[in-house]
Amino acid sequence: MENSALDALICPVCGLEFVETLPGENSLKCIDGHCFDIARQGYVNLLSGRGTKFTQDTAEMVAAREDFLDAGHYAPLADALGEVVGEVVRDARPECAPAGTSRPLVSRPLVLDAGTGAGYYLDRILVNLASGPGGEHGIDSIGLDISKFALRRAARRNSGTVNLVWDLWQPLPVEAGRADAVLVVFAPRNAAEFARVLAPRGKLVVVTPRPGHLAQIAELAGMLGIQPQKEAELVQAMAGHFHLQERREVNVSLVLSPRDIQNVALMGPAGHHVDPQHLARTVLGLPAFTAVQAEFQISIFSKLAAA
Ligand SMILES: C[S@@+](CC[C@H](N)C(=O)[O-])C[C@H]1O[C@@H](n2cnc3c(N)ncnc32)[C@H](O)[C@@H]1O
Ligand SMILES: [Zn+2]
């Protein structure tokens, strides 16, 4: 596993750094000898033996999300995120700009995708940033997720990313101050840990649904209503570590097939308890196409000086 993002990792057992992995080696070892298998697909399970009380997304949930995202329905959100992360990295690391210059760097900019899922947004962001010679984006990336089913896919999609099975509610296996951007797209938000791993000028980029998001199918898809106070609650939950610097809204008009709606129902939190057979029967009764509005918010947070 050759990847300079490995330099930013710390062993979750002892907090020490990892030794360089030689080509063909199938484990990641820290300098104190703690050893973690590199899966055939290329991700590493750092949680092994530690256990967690969180239920991972199932293979079916991950497949539904990937099917839906790969159909391009949320591509405008991915493009908007590409722009935001590009701006964040340029602001955090002015020495990197403009792309393609040969000024020496201490380390490459690092983007951490917390709850990366199958890596769809991270992939689109990296493609967006690939403006250097030969399509090289010059960015290191780490994807964290508790679901090994998600990471199998993420590792295939983002083979240049260090993909790790990890629980976001535990101390992150990343050195303090190393990340230039932490990205959280519909995933858990551990404000204290995100602040710790971010560089002083780094930013936390959070995507949440707005109150009208998929309102036309919310009940059918078994999704909970999104309350208007959620936006204030997000800022409140980050307070103490971050202040809100900017908000951007992304609205997408969608025309969804019954299969798309089935995927939406399976890919979210409802996917943990929905009955797939009942759902399949319900969507059979839907019209060929349903017009739906997706309403997202991108919140960009700066670190508080003391965080
Ligand atoms: C709604 S999905 C979003 C995935 C991805 N960001 C996307 O938008 O395609 C939420 C993701 O968070 C992950 N997740 C949930 N709880 C987690 C935890 N405690 N630690 C790490 N990942 C977690 C799930 O496995 C899932 O992949
Ligand atoms: Zn160790």
Side-chain angles (χ1 to χ4, degrees), residues 210-293:
R210 299 208 321 282
H213 181 60
L214 305 183
Q216 299 83 351
I217 56 165
E219 198 181 334
L220 185 103
M223 297 189 303
L224 299 171
I226 302 154
Q227 307 302 321
Q229 71 271 17
K230 283 278 180 215
E231 295 181 11
E233 283 172 8
L234 169 64
V235 175
Q236 185 62 37
M238 299 298 109
H241 300 282
F242 293 98
H243 72 87
L244 181 65
Q245 181 187 305
E246 192 190 335
R247 265 191 188 133
R248 295 186 196 177
E249 294 184 356
V250 179
N251 298 321
V252 193
S253 297
L254 300 170
V255 178
L256 300 184
S257 68
R259 180 192 171 105
D260 292 327
I261 294 173
Q262 186 171 357
N263 282 337
V264 171
L266 285 173
M267 72 196 227
H272 284 294
H273 41 79
V274 78
D275 171 5
Q277 259 126 39
H278 175 73
L279 182 65
R281 282 196 299 277
T282 308
V283 299
L284 277 180
L286 289 174
F289 295 104
T290 305
V292 171
Q293 187 78 1

Side-chain angles (χ1 to χ4, degrees), residues 5-244:
L6 285 172
D7 293 347
L9 296 186
I10 50 175
C11 170
V13 179
C14 65
L16 297 175
E17 61 199 75
F18 286 99
V19 294
E20 200 183 328
T21 311
L22 300 171
E25 274 189 310
N26 54 8
S27 66
L28 192 58
K29 285 190 203 74
C30 80
I31 55 177
D32 204 26
H34 300 113
C35 190
F36 303 88
D37 290 345
I38 301 173
R40 188 168 40 87
Q41 297 87 354
Y43 69 88
V44 182
N45 186 353
L46 290 187
L47 264 188
S48 56
R50 287 167 71 95
T52 169
K53 62 185 162 63
F54 293 93
T55 317
Q56 64 174 333
D57 278 12
T58 62
E60 292 72 25
M61 291 170 73
V62 174
R65 186 173 312 114
E66 202 172 36
D67 195 25
F68 185 84
L69 292 175
D70 281 342
H73 298 303
Y74 288 175
L77 173 61
D79 292 344
L81 281 173
E83 277 174 33
V84 169
V85 173
E87 289 167 25
V88 165
V89 168
R90 278 189 290 276
D91 283 358
R93 304 283 290 257
E95 73 274 24
C96 304
T101 56
S102 55
R103 293 177 67 175
L105 287 173
V106 178
S107 61
R108 289 156 44 117
L110 177 66
V111 174
L112 173 71
D113 187 14
T116 191
Y120 170 80
Y121 292 104
L122 183 60
D123 172 39
R124 295 290 302 241
I125 288 166
L126 295 175
V127 166
N128 221 295
L129 293 175
S131 53
E136 164 60 18
H137 49 65
I139 308 273
D140 283 339
S141 51
I142 297 175
L144 302 178
D145 204 286
I146 206 165
S147 166
K148 64 176 182 298
F149 302 112
L151 282 193
R152 280 180 191 160
R153 290 168 185 259
R156 255 201 316 264
R157 194 187 285 265
N158 298 323
S159 55
T161 298
V162 172
N163 286 294
L164 305 170
V165 176
W166 191 248
D167 174 7
L168 292 170
W169 293 117
Q170 299 192 30
L172 304 183
V174 177
E175 279 180 353
R178 282 301 293 267
D180 297 286
V182 171
L183 178 70
V184 196
V185 187
F186 314 120
R189 299 179 284 267
N190 183 340
E193 275 300 289
F194 293 161
R196 184 185 66 77
V197 301
L198 271 170
R201 293 167 62 101
K203 299 280 186 301
L204 170 65
V205 178
V206 179
V207 177
T208 46
R210 299 208 321 282
H213 181 60
L214 305 183
Q216 299 83 351
I217 56 165
E219 198 181 334
L220 185 103
M223 297 189 303
L224 299 171
I226 302 154
Q227 307 302 321
Q229 71 271 17
K230 283 278 180 215
E231 295 181 11
E233 283 172 8
L234 169 64
V235 175
Q236 185 62 37
M238 299 298 109
H241 300 282
F242 293 98
H243 72 87
L244 181 65

